[in-house]
Amino acid sequence: KNEVEQSPQNLTAQEGEFITINCSYSVGISALHWLQQHPGGGIVSLFMLSSGKKKHGRLIATINIQEKHSSLHITASHPRDSAVYICAVRLHNQFYFGTGTSLTVIP
Amino acid sequence: DAGVIQSPRHEVTEMGQEVTLRCKPISGHNSLFWYRQTMMRGLELLIYFNNNVPIDDSGMPEDRFSAKMPNASFSTLKIQPSEPRDSAVYFCASSKDRFGNTIYFGEGSWLTVV
């Protein structure tokens, strides 16, 4: 059983659509990270959350500690948002990773 | 700032050979992380250092893997002897704190063992 589950695994959207990627975890956590991996392989850390909500440009991340659930939202999606989005949770020194959500935004 | 620098970017080697991957973290960052990514297992944390000291190496798959951080600006991940199942992308990342709260990744080293 994976400690971190993401859904959906694959997502195709039209440019401009509102996108939601979900992450559920089964362990207690110190923090949750959302990572973005571009087709070329590079990984960028988008958010680190331990509670509430964070916003950066068109990206919004929320976390509900009681429900052990986080969502990553992309507003007004654009083809350059096409990437794999990975949810990772940290409990003290341990990191657990989701398998990623592959997003394709079509012009 | 140059970001996290990894080398080599790509390596193809024969089974049984020694492989050394290198990483230069961002200056001033106290923690350094080595990750491996494969299609089958996704992203896995192998080991991380804080102030040059290995804190958790429980993710290192077996004794063929070793990592060192001789100083604050350099780390190596070594595989000896390499096997085809070691083929993966190896990422190095650094952070100002030991918990990776703001973490920056290198571009990755793409290793193929034939």
PDB file of all heavy atoms in Angstrom, chain A residues 31 33 35 37 40-43 45 48 86 90 92-95 97, chain B residues 33 35 37 43 45 48 55-56 58 91 98-101 103 105 110:
ATOM      1  N   ALA A  31       4.983  17.972   6.962  1.00  0.00           N
ATOM      2  CA  ALA A  31       4.726  18.909   5.872  1.00  0.00           C
ATOM      3  C   ALA A  31       4.430  18.142   4.592  1.00  0.00           C
ATOM      4  O   ALA A  31       4.756  16.958   4.481  1.00  0.00           O
ATOM      5  CB  ALA A  31       5.922  19.834   5.641  1.00  0.00           C
ATOM      6  N   HIS A  33       4.653  18.520   0.261  1.00  0.00           N
ATOM      7  CA  HIS A  33       5.245  19.272  -0.842  1.00  0.00           C
ATOM      8  C   HIS A  33       4.530  18.930  -2.138  1.00  0.00           C
ATOM      9  O   HIS A  33       4.169  17.772  -2.367  1.00  0.00           O
ATOM     10  CB  HIS A  33       6.724  18.903  -1.014  1.00  0.00           C
ATOM     11  CG  HIS A  33       7.587  19.237   0.151  1.00  0.00           C
ATOM     12  ND1 HIS A  33       8.503  20.278   0.131  1.00  0.00           N
ATOM     13  CD2 HIS A  33       7.702  18.678   1.376  1.00  0.00           C
ATOM     14  CE1 HIS A  33       9.122  20.334   1.292  1.00  0.00           C
ATOM     15  NE2 HIS A  33       8.666  19.368   2.067  1.00  0.00           N
ATOM     16  N   LEU A  35       5.514  19.044  -6.097  1.00  0.00           N
ATOM     17  CA  LEU A  35       6.635  19.184  -7.022  1.00  0.00           C
ATOM     18  C   LEU A  35       6.121  19.148  -8.451  1.00  0.00           C
ATOM     19  O   LEU A  35       5.112  18.494  -8.735  1.00  0.00           O
ATOM     20  CB  LEU A  35       7.638  18.046  -6.827  1.00  0.00           C
ATOM     21  CG  LEU A  35       8.107  17.757  -5.398  1.00  0.00           C
ATOM     22  CD1 LEU A  35       8.988  16.511  -5.378  1.00  0.00           C
ATOM     23  CD2 LEU A  35       8.861  18.947  -4.837  1.00  0.00           C
ATOM     24  N   GLN A  37       7.451  18.296 -12.324  1.00  0.00           N
ATOM     25  CA  GLN A  37       8.532  17.758 -13.147  1.00  0.00           C
ATOM     26  C   GLN A  37       8.205  17.984 -14.611  1.00  0.00           C
ATOM     27  O   GLN A  37       7.213  17.478 -15.126  1.00  0.00           O
ATOM     28  CB  GLN A  37       8.760  16.274 -12.890  1.00  0.00           C
ATOM     29  CG  GLN A  37       9.966  15.720 -13.643  1.00  0.00           C
ATOM     30  CD  GLN A  37      10.352  14.346 -13.181  1.00  0.00           C
ATOM     31  OE1 GLN A  37       9.526  13.582 -12.712  1.00  0.00           O
ATOM     32  NE2 GLN A  37      11.635  14.029 -13.302  1.00  0.00           N
ATOM     33  N   GLY A  40      11.382  17.600 -19.729  1.00  0.00           N
ATOM     34  CA  GLY A  40      12.826  17.396 -19.810  1.00  0.00           C
ATOM     35  C   GLY A  40      13.419  16.731 -18.583  1.00  0.00           C
ATOM     36  O   GLY A  40      14.593  16.332 -18.588  1.00  0.00           O
ATOM     37  N   GLY A  41      12.634  16.592 -17.533  1.00  0.00           N
ATOM     38  CA  GLY A  41      13.073  15.880 -16.342  1.00  0.00           C
ATOM     39  C   GLY A  41      13.330  16.745 -15.130  1.00  0.00           C
ATOM     40  O   GLY A  41      13.343  16.240 -14.012  1.00  0.00           O
ATOM     41  N   GLY A  42      13.538  18.032 -15.327  1.00  0.00           N
ATOM     42  CA  GLY A  42      13.842  18.899 -14.196  1.00  0.00           C
ATOM     43  C   GLY A  42      12.692  18.970 -13.206  1.00  0.00           C
ATOM     44  O   GLY A  42      11.525  18.919 -13.589  1.00  0.00           O
ATOM     45  N   ILE A  43      13.019  19.053 -11.923  1.00  0.00           N
ATOM     46  CA  ILE A  43      12.007  19.091 -10.864  1.00  0.00           C
ATOM     47  C   ILE A  43      12.064  20.432 -10.161  1.00  0.00           C
ATOM     48  O   ILE A  43      13.138  20.903  -9.789  1.00  0.00           O
ATOM     49  CB  ILE A  43      12.220  17.963  -9.844  1.00  0.00           C
ATOM     50  CG1 ILE A  43      12.070  16.601 -10.519  1.00  0.00           C
ATOM     51  CG2 ILE A  43      11.234  18.083  -8.686  1.00  0.00           C
ATOM     52  CD1 ILE A  43      12.333  15.430  -9.594  1.00  0.00           C
ATOM     53  N   SER A  45      10.215  22.624  -6.950  1.00  0.00           N
ATOM     54  CA  SER A  45       9.339  22.596  -5.793  1.00  0.00           C
ATOM     55  C   SER A  45       8.349  23.748  -5.902  1.00  0.00           C
ATOM     56  O   SER A  45       8.749  24.904  -5.999  1.00  0.00           O
ATOM     57  CB  SER A  45      10.167  22.725  -4.515  1.00  0.00           C
ATOM     58  OG  SER A  45       9.327  22.771  -3.383  1.00  0.00           O
ATOM     59  N   MET A  48       5.325  24.133  -0.222  1.00  0.00           N
ATOM     60  CA  MET A  48       5.444  23.344   1.000  1.00  0.00           C
ATOM     61  C   MET A  48       4.338  23.804   1.928  1.00  0.00           C
ATOM     62  O   MET A  48       4.197  25.004   2.182  1.00  0.00           O
ATOM     63  CB  MET A  48       6.809  23.561   1.651  1.00  0.00           C
ATOM     64  CG  MET A  48       7.107  22.607   2.801  1.00  0.00           C
ATOM     65  SD  MET A  48       6.355  23.038   4.377  1.00  0.00           S
ATOM     66  CE  MET A  48       7.193  24.581   4.753  1.00  0.00           C
ATOM     67  N   ILE A  86       3.917  15.972  -8.619  1.00  0.00           N
ATOM     68  CA  ILE A  86       4.188  14.945  -7.621  1.00  0.00           C
ATOM     69  C   ILE A  86       3.895  15.493  -6.235  1.00  0.00           C
ATOM     70  O   ILE A  86       4.339  16.591  -5.881  1.00  0.00           O
ATOM     71  CB  ILE A  86       5.658  14.484  -7.685  1.00  0.00           C
ATOM     72  CG1 ILE A  86       5.977  13.937  -9.084  1.00  0.00           C
ATOM     73  CG2 ILE A  86       5.962  13.440  -6.614  1.00  0.00           C
ATOM     74  CD1 ILE A  86       7.468  13.701  -9.320  1.00  0.00           C
ATOM     75  N   ARG A  90       6.275  14.572   4.220  1.00  0.00           N
ATOM     76  CA  ARG A  90       7.427  14.378   5.096  1.00  0.00           C
ATOM     77  C   ARG A  90       6.935  14.181   6.517  1.00  0.00           C
ATOM     78  O   ARG A  90       6.104  14.933   7.008  1.00  0.00           O
ATOM     79  CB  ARG A  90       8.356  15.577   5.016  1.00  0.00           C
ATOM     80  CG  ARG A  90       9.516  15.519   5.994  1.00  0.00           C
ATOM     81  CD  ARG A  90      10.466  16.678   5.788  1.00  0.00           C
ATOM     82  NE  ARG A  90       9.836  17.973   5.965  1.00  0.00           N
ATOM     83  CZ  ARG A  90       9.543  18.516   7.142  1.00  0.00           C
ATOM     84  NH1 ARG A  90       9.822  17.881   8.259  1.00  0.00           N
ATOM     85  NH2 ARG A  90       8.969  19.709   7.193  1.00  0.00           N
ATOM     86  N   HIS A  92       8.970  13.897   9.922  1.00  0.00           N
ATOM     87  CA  HIS A  92      10.305  14.005  10.516  1.00  0.00           C
ATOM     88  C   HIS A  92      11.350  13.789   9.421  1.00  0.00           C
ATOM     89  O   HIS A  92      11.449  14.592   8.500  1.00  0.00           O
ATOM     90  CB  HIS A  92      10.464  13.024  11.669  1.00  0.00           C
ATOM     91  CG  HIS A  92       9.412  13.191  12.716  1.00  0.00           C
ATOM     92  ND1 HIS A  92       9.159  14.395  13.341  1.00  0.00           N
ATOM     93  CD2 HIS A  92       8.508  12.333  13.218  1.00  0.00           C
ATOM     94  CE1 HIS A  92       8.154  14.260  14.188  1.00  0.00           C
ATOM     95  NE2 HIS A  92       7.737  13.010  14.143  1.00  0.00           N
ATOM     96  N   ASN A  93      12.097  12.713   9.465  1.00  0.00           N
ATOM     97  CA  ASN A  93      13.149  12.498   8.479  1.00  0.00           C
ATOM     98  C   ASN A  93      12.717  11.644   7.298  1.00  0.00           C
ATOM     99  O   ASN A  93      13.507  11.390   6.405  1.00  0.00           O
ATOM    100  CB  ASN A  93      14.358  11.815   9.133  1.00  0.00           C
ATOM    101  CG  ASN A  93      14.991  12.694  10.191  1.00  0.00           C
ATOM    102  OD1 ASN A  93      14.842  13.892  10.149  1.00  0.00           O
ATOM    103  ND2 ASN A  93      15.682  12.082  11.122  1.00  0.00           N
ATOM    104  N   GLN A  94      11.508  11.168   7.301  1.00  0.00           N
ATOM    105  CA  GLN A  94      11.041  10.266   6.252  1.00  0.00           C
ATOM    106  C   GLN A  94      10.247  11.030   5.201  1.00  0.00           C
ATOM    107  O   GLN A  94       9.401  11.853   5.531  1.00  0.00           O
ATOM    108  CB  GLN A  94      10.145   9.175   6.848  1.00  0.00           C
ATOM    109  CG  GLN A  94      10.891   8.158   7.686  1.00  0.00           C
ATOM    110  CD  GLN A  94      11.839   7.341   6.869  1.00  0.00           C
ATOM    111  OE1 GLN A  94      11.507   6.877   5.777  1.00  0.00           O
ATOM    112  NE2 GLN A  94      13.054   7.148   7.356  1.00  0.00           N
ATOM    113  N   PHE A  95      10.537  10.733   3.925  1.00  0.00           N
ATOM    114  CA  PHE A  95       9.788  11.301   2.815  1.00  0.00           C
ATOM    115  C   PHE A  95       9.042  10.183   2.105  1.00  0.00           C
ATOM    116  O   PHE A  95       9.586   9.117   1.875  1.00  0.00           O
ATOM    117  CB  PHE A  95      10.734  11.975   1.815  1.00  0.00           C
ATOM    118  CG  PHE A  95      11.291  13.284   2.282  1.00  0.00           C
ATOM    119  CD1 PHE A  95      12.369  13.315   3.163  1.00  0.00           C
ATOM    120  CD2 PHE A  95      10.752  14.480   1.863  1.00  0.00           C
ATOM    121  CE1 PHE A  95      12.895  14.524   3.595  1.00  0.00           C
ATOM    122  CE2 PHE A  95      11.273  15.692   2.288  1.00  0.00           C
ATOM    123  CZ  PHE A  95      12.340  15.713   3.159  1.00  0.00           C
ATOM    124  N   PHE A  97       6.569   9.596  -1.430  1.00  0.00           N
ATOM    125  CA  PHE A  97       6.198  10.251  -2.680  1.00  0.00           C
ATOM    126  C   PHE A  97       5.011   9.576  -3.326  1.00  0.00           C
ATOM    127  O   PHE A  97       4.902   8.345  -3.325  1.00  0.00           O
ATOM    128  CB  PHE A  97       7.370  10.204  -3.670  1.00  0.00           C
ATOM    129  CG  PHE A  97       8.578  10.965  -3.207  1.00  0.00           C
ATOM    130  CD1 PHE A  97       9.572  10.339  -2.479  1.00  0.00           C
ATOM    131  CD2 PHE A  97       8.716  12.317  -3.493  1.00  0.00           C
ATOM    132  CE1 PHE A  97      10.678  11.046  -2.040  1.00  0.00           C
ATOM    133  CE2 PHE A  97       9.825  13.031  -3.057  1.00  0.00           C
ATOM    134  CZ  PHE A  97      10.806  12.383  -2.333  1.00  0.00           C
TER     135      PHE A  97
ATOM    136  N   PHE B  33      20.185  16.303  -0.494  1.00  0.00           N
ATOM    137  CA  PHE B  33      19.378  15.098  -0.662  1.00  0.00           C
ATOM    138  C   PHE B  33      19.752  14.416  -1.977  1.00  0.00           C
ATOM    139  O   PHE B  33      19.939  15.079  -2.988  1.00  0.00           O
ATOM    140  CB  PHE B  33      17.887  15.444  -0.719  1.00  0.00           C
ATOM    141  CG  PHE B  33      17.384  16.266   0.446  1.00  0.00           C
ATOM    142  CD1 PHE B  33      17.606  17.633   0.496  1.00  0.00           C
ATOM    143  CD2 PHE B  33      16.676  15.668   1.479  1.00  0.00           C
ATOM    144  CE1 PHE B  33      17.142  18.400   1.563  1.00  0.00           C
ATOM    145  CE2 PHE B  33      16.202  16.427   2.539  1.00  0.00           C
ATOM    146  CZ  PHE B  33      16.429  17.786   2.586  1.00  0.00           C
ATOM    147  N   TYR B  35      18.098  11.616  -4.590  1.00  0.00           N
ATOM    148  CA  TYR B  35      16.886  10.890  -4.950  1.00  0.00           C
ATOM    149  C   TYR B  35      17.153  10.038  -6.181  1.00  0.00           C
ATOM    150  O   TYR B  35      18.025  10.344  -6.996  1.00  0.00           O
ATOM    151  CB  TYR B  35      15.740  11.845  -5.311  1.00  0.00           C
ATOM    152  CG  TYR B  35      15.267  12.750  -4.220  1.00  0.00           C
ATOM    153  CD1 TYR B  35      15.850  14.001  -4.036  1.00  0.00           C
ATOM    154  CD2 TYR B  35      14.214  12.383  -3.388  1.00  0.00           C
ATOM    155  CE1 TYR B  35      15.398  14.856  -3.041  1.00  0.00           C
ATOM    156  CE2 TYR B  35      13.757  13.244  -2.395  1.00  0.00           C
ATOM    157  CZ  TYR B  35      14.358  14.473  -2.232  1.00  0.00           C
ATOM    158  OH  TYR B  35      13.912  15.317  -1.254  1.00  0.00           O
ATOM    159  N   GLN B  37      14.858   8.223  -9.404  1.00  0.00           N
ATOM    160  CA  GLN B  37      13.550   8.136 -10.031  1.00  0.00           C
ATOM    161  C   GLN B  37      13.557   7.089 -11.132  1.00  0.00           C
ATOM    162  O   GLN B  37      14.399   7.135 -12.031  1.00  0.00           O
ATOM    163  CB  GLN B  37      13.126   9.483 -10.618  1.00  0.00           C
ATOM    164  CG  GLN B  37      11.701   9.468 -11.172  1.00  0.00           C
ATOM    165  CD  GLN B  37      11.272  10.834 -11.675  1.00  0.00           C
ATOM    166  OE1 GLN B  37      12.046  11.554 -12.295  1.00  0.00           O
ATOM    167  NE2 GLN B  37      10.030  11.205 -11.405  1.00  0.00           N
ATOM    168  N   LEU B  43       9.719   8.387  -7.535  1.00  0.00           N
ATOM    169  CA  LEU B  43      10.793   9.141  -6.893  1.00  0.00           C
ATOM    170  C   LEU B  43      11.032   8.575  -5.498  1.00  0.00           C
ATOM    171  O   LEU B  43      10.101   8.406  -4.722  1.00  0.00           O
ATOM    172  CB  LEU B  43      10.368  10.609  -6.825  1.00  0.00           C
ATOM    173  CG  LEU B  43      11.410  11.679  -6.586  1.00  0.00           C
ATOM    174  CD1 LEU B  43      12.446  11.683  -7.701  1.00  0.00           C
ATOM    175  CD2 LEU B  43      10.735  13.040  -6.502  1.00  0.00           C
ATOM    176  N   LEU B  45      13.699   8.795  -1.991  1.00  0.00           N
ATOM    177  CA  LEU B  45      14.813   9.427  -1.302  1.00  0.00           C
ATOM    178  C   LEU B  45      15.831   8.358  -0.924  1.00  0.00           C
ATOM    179  O   LEU B  45      15.487   7.373  -0.277  1.00  0.00           O
ATOM    180  CB  LEU B  45      14.323  10.149  -0.053  1.00  0.00           C
ATOM    181  CG  LEU B  45      15.399  10.795   0.811  1.00  0.00           C
ATOM    182  CD1 LEU B  45      16.087  11.930   0.060  1.00  0.00           C
ATOM    183  CD2 LEU B  45      14.806  11.310   2.117  1.00  0.00           C
ATOM    184  N   TYR B  48      20.065  11.606   2.893  1.00  0.00           N
ATOM    185  CA  TYR B  48      20.264  13.035   2.977  1.00  0.00           C
ATOM    186  C   TYR B  48      21.252  13.396   4.070  1.00  0.00           C
ATOM    187  O   TYR B  48      21.431  12.661   5.036  1.00  0.00           O
ATOM    188  CB  TYR B  48      18.951  13.800   3.076  1.00  0.00           C
ATOM    189  CG  TYR B  48      18.311  13.905   4.430  1.00  0.00           C
ATOM    190  CD1 TYR B  48      18.544  15.004   5.243  1.00  0.00           C
ATOM    191  CD2 TYR B  48      17.412  12.946   4.851  1.00  0.00           C
ATOM    192  CE1 TYR B  48      17.906  15.133   6.455  1.00  0.00           C
ATOM    193  CE2 TYR B  48      16.782  13.066   6.067  1.00  0.00           C
ATOM    194  CZ  TYR B  48      17.024  14.159   6.864  1.00  0.00           C
ATOM    195  OH  TYR B  48      16.393  14.274   8.075  1.00  0.00           O
ATOM    196  N   ILE B  55      22.284  11.888   7.667  1.00  0.00           N
ATOM    197  CA  ILE B  55      21.252  11.830   8.698  1.00  0.00           C
ATOM    198  C   ILE B  55      20.416  10.565   8.553  1.00  0.00           C
ATOM    199  O   ILE B  55      20.087   9.906   9.536  1.00  0.00           O
ATOM    200  CB  ILE B  55      20.345  13.073   8.632  1.00  0.00           C
ATOM    201  CG1 ILE B  55      21.157  14.349   8.816  1.00  0.00           C
ATOM    202  CG2 ILE B  55      19.229  12.967   9.666  1.00  0.00           C
ATOM    203  CD1 ILE B  55      21.903  14.441  10.137  1.00  0.00           C
ATOM    204  N   ASP B  56      20.056  10.253   7.333  1.00  0.00           N
ATOM    205  CA  ASP B  56      19.193   9.097   7.094  1.00  0.00           C
ATOM    206  C   ASP B  56      19.585   8.466   5.771  1.00  0.00           C
ATOM    207  O   ASP B  56      19.442   9.090   4.722  1.00  0.00           O
ATOM    208  CB  ASP B  56      17.729   9.525   7.065  1.00  0.00           C
ATOM    209  CG  ASP B  56      16.767   8.338   6.977  1.00  0.00           C
ATOM    210  OD1 ASP B  56      17.227   7.204   6.709  1.00  0.00           O
ATOM    211  OD2 ASP B  56      15.565   8.535   7.182  1.00  0.00           O
ATOM    212  N   SER B  58      18.486   5.270   5.059  1.00  0.00           N
ATOM    213  CA  SER B  58      17.639   4.074   4.992  1.00  0.00           C
ATOM    214  C   SER B  58      17.104   3.807   3.592  1.00  0.00           C
ATOM    215  O   SER B  58      16.681   2.701   3.285  1.00  0.00           O
ATOM    216  CB  SER B  58      16.471   4.187   5.984  1.00  0.00           C
ATOM    217  OG  SER B  58      15.691   5.327   5.678  1.00  0.00           O
ATOM    218  N   PHE B  91      18.609  12.406  -8.833  1.00  0.00           N
ATOM    219  CA  PHE B  91      18.499  13.840  -8.564  1.00  0.00           C
ATOM    220  C   PHE B  91      19.208  14.175  -7.261  1.00  0.00           C
ATOM    221  O   PHE B  91      19.103  13.454  -6.270  1.00  0.00           O
ATOM    222  CB  PHE B  91      17.037  14.267  -8.441  1.00  0.00           C
ATOM    223  CG  PHE B  91      16.287  14.280  -9.732  1.00  0.00           C
ATOM    224  CD1 PHE B  91      15.495  13.214 -10.096  1.00  0.00           C
ATOM    225  CD2 PHE B  91      16.364  15.371 -10.579  1.00  0.00           C
ATOM    226  CE1 PHE B  91      14.783  13.212 -11.292  1.00  0.00           C
ATOM    227  CE2 PHE B  91      15.663  15.392 -11.773  1.00  0.00           C
ATOM    228  CZ  PHE B  91      14.879  14.309 -12.132  1.00  0.00           C
ATOM    229  N   ARG B  98      17.102  21.300   7.395  1.00  0.00           N
ATOM    230  CA  ARG B  98      17.219  19.852   7.320  1.00  0.00           C
ATOM    231  C   ARG B  98      15.940  19.172   6.901  1.00  0.00           C
ATOM    232  O   ARG B  98      15.928  17.996   6.583  1.00  0.00           O
ATOM    233  CB  ARG B  98      17.677  19.287   8.662  1.00  0.00           C
ATOM    234  CG  ARG B  98      16.683  19.489   9.792  1.00  0.00           C
ATOM    235  CD  ARG B  98      17.221  18.943  11.083  1.00  0.00           C
ATOM    236  NE  ARG B  98      17.344  17.489  11.033  1.00  0.00           N
ATOM    237  CZ  ARG B  98      17.960  16.771  11.955  1.00  0.00           C
ATOM    238  NH1 ARG B  98      18.520  17.368  12.987  1.00  0.00           N
ATOM    239  NH2 ARG B  98      18.025  15.470  11.865  1.00  0.00           N
ATOM    240  N   PHE B  99      14.843  19.913   6.860  1.00  0.00           N
ATOM    241  CA  PHE B  99      13.572  19.286   6.526  1.00  0.00           C
ATOM    242  C   PHE B  99      13.144  19.532   5.084  1.00  0.00           C
ATOM    243  O   PHE B  99      12.064  19.138   4.699  1.00  0.00           O
ATOM    244  CB  PHE B  99      12.486  19.787   7.477  1.00  0.00           C
ATOM    245  CG  PHE B  99      12.799  19.498   8.912  1.00  0.00           C
ATOM    246  CD1 PHE B  99      12.980  20.531   9.807  1.00  0.00           C
ATOM    247  CD2 PHE B  99      12.924  18.204   9.340  1.00  0.00           C
ATOM    248  CE1 PHE B  99      13.274  20.265  11.138  1.00  0.00           C
ATOM    249  CE2 PHE B  99      13.219  17.923  10.666  1.00  0.00           C
ATOM    250  CZ  PHE B  99      13.396  18.951  11.555  1.00  0.00           C
ATOM    251  N   GLY B 100      14.016  20.146   4.321  1.00  0.00           N
ATOM    252  CA  GLY B 100      13.675  20.365   2.920  1.00  0.00           C
ATOM    253  C   GLY B 100      12.498  21.269   2.726  1.00  0.00           C
ATOM    254  O   GLY B 100      11.734  21.119   1.768  1.00  0.00           O
ATOM    255  N   ASN B 101      12.317  22.215   3.623  1.00  0.00           N
ATOM    256  CA  ASN B 101      11.147  23.074   3.515  1.00  0.00           C
ATOM    257  C   ASN B 101      11.161  23.923   2.261  1.00  0.00           C
ATOM    258  O   ASN B 101      10.120  24.200   1.695  1.00  0.00           O
ATOM    259  CB  ASN B 101      11.018  23.955   4.764  1.00  0.00           C
ATOM    260  CG  ASN B 101      10.475  23.168   5.936  1.00  0.00           C
ATOM    261  OD1 ASN B 101       9.723  22.228   5.760  1.00  0.00           O
ATOM    262  ND2 ASN B 101      10.872  23.548   7.128  1.00  0.00           N
ATOM    263  N   ILE B 103      13.129  23.462  -1.062  1.00  0.00           N
ATOM    264  CA  ILE B 103      14.073  22.526  -1.657  1.00  0.00           C
ATOM    265  C   ILE B 103      14.261  22.826  -3.130  1.00  0.00           C
ATOM    266  O   ILE B 103      13.312  23.149  -3.842  1.00  0.00           O
ATOM    267  CB  ILE B 103      13.596  21.078  -1.417  1.00  0.00           C
ATOM    268  CG1 ILE B 103      14.675  20.076  -1.750  1.00  0.00           C
ATOM    269  CG2 ILE B 103      12.302  20.781  -2.170  1.00  0.00           C
ATOM    270  CD1 ILE B 103      14.380  18.691  -1.207  1.00  0.00           C
ATOM    271  N   PHE B 105      16.037  21.426  -6.719  1.00  0.00           N
ATOM    272  CA  PHE B 105      16.538  20.222  -7.363  1.00  0.00           C
ATOM    273  C   PHE B 105      17.551  20.562  -8.447  1.00  0.00           C
ATOM    274  O   PHE B 105      17.430  21.571  -9.144  1.00  0.00           O
ATOM    275  CB  PHE B 105      15.389  19.439  -7.994  1.00  0.00           C
ATOM    276  CG  PHE B 105      14.539  18.699  -7.007  1.00  0.00           C
ATOM    277  CD1 PHE B 105      13.570  19.364  -6.257  1.00  0.00           C
ATOM    278  CD2 PHE B 105      14.703  17.339  -6.816  1.00  0.00           C
ATOM    279  CE1 PHE B 105      12.789  18.670  -5.354  1.00  0.00           C
ATOM    280  CE2 PHE B 105      13.914  16.640  -5.909  1.00  0.00           C
ATOM    281  CZ  PHE B 105      12.955  17.309  -5.179  1.00  0.00           C
ATOM    282  N   TRP B 110      21.179  11.189 -15.695  1.00  0.00           N
ATOM    283  CA  TRP B 110      20.478  10.080 -16.332  1.00  0.00           C
ATOM    284  C   TRP B 110      21.472   8.942 -16.511  1.00  0.00           C
ATOM    285  O   TRP B 110      22.367   9.014 -17.346  1.00  0.00           O
ATOM    286  CB  TRP B 110      19.911  10.525 -17.672  1.00  0.00           C
ATOM    287  CG  TRP B 110      18.902  11.631 -17.546  1.00  0.00           C
ATOM    288  CD1 TRP B 110      19.113  12.901 -17.089  1.00  0.00           C
ATOM    289  CD2 TRP B 110      17.524  11.559 -17.886  1.00  0.00           C
ATOM    290  NE1 TRP B 110      17.948  13.622 -17.120  1.00  0.00           N
ATOM    291  CE2 TRP B 110      16.944  12.838 -17.623  1.00  0.00           C
ATOM    292  CE3 TRP B 110      16.712  10.561 -18.418  1.00  0.00           C
ATOM    293  CZ2 TRP B 110      15.606  13.111 -17.842  1.00  0.00           C
ATOM    294  CZ3 TRP B 110      15.366  10.845 -18.659  1.00  0.00           C
ATOM    295  CH2 TRP B 110      14.829  12.110 -18.358  1.00  0.00           C
TER     296      TRP B 110
END
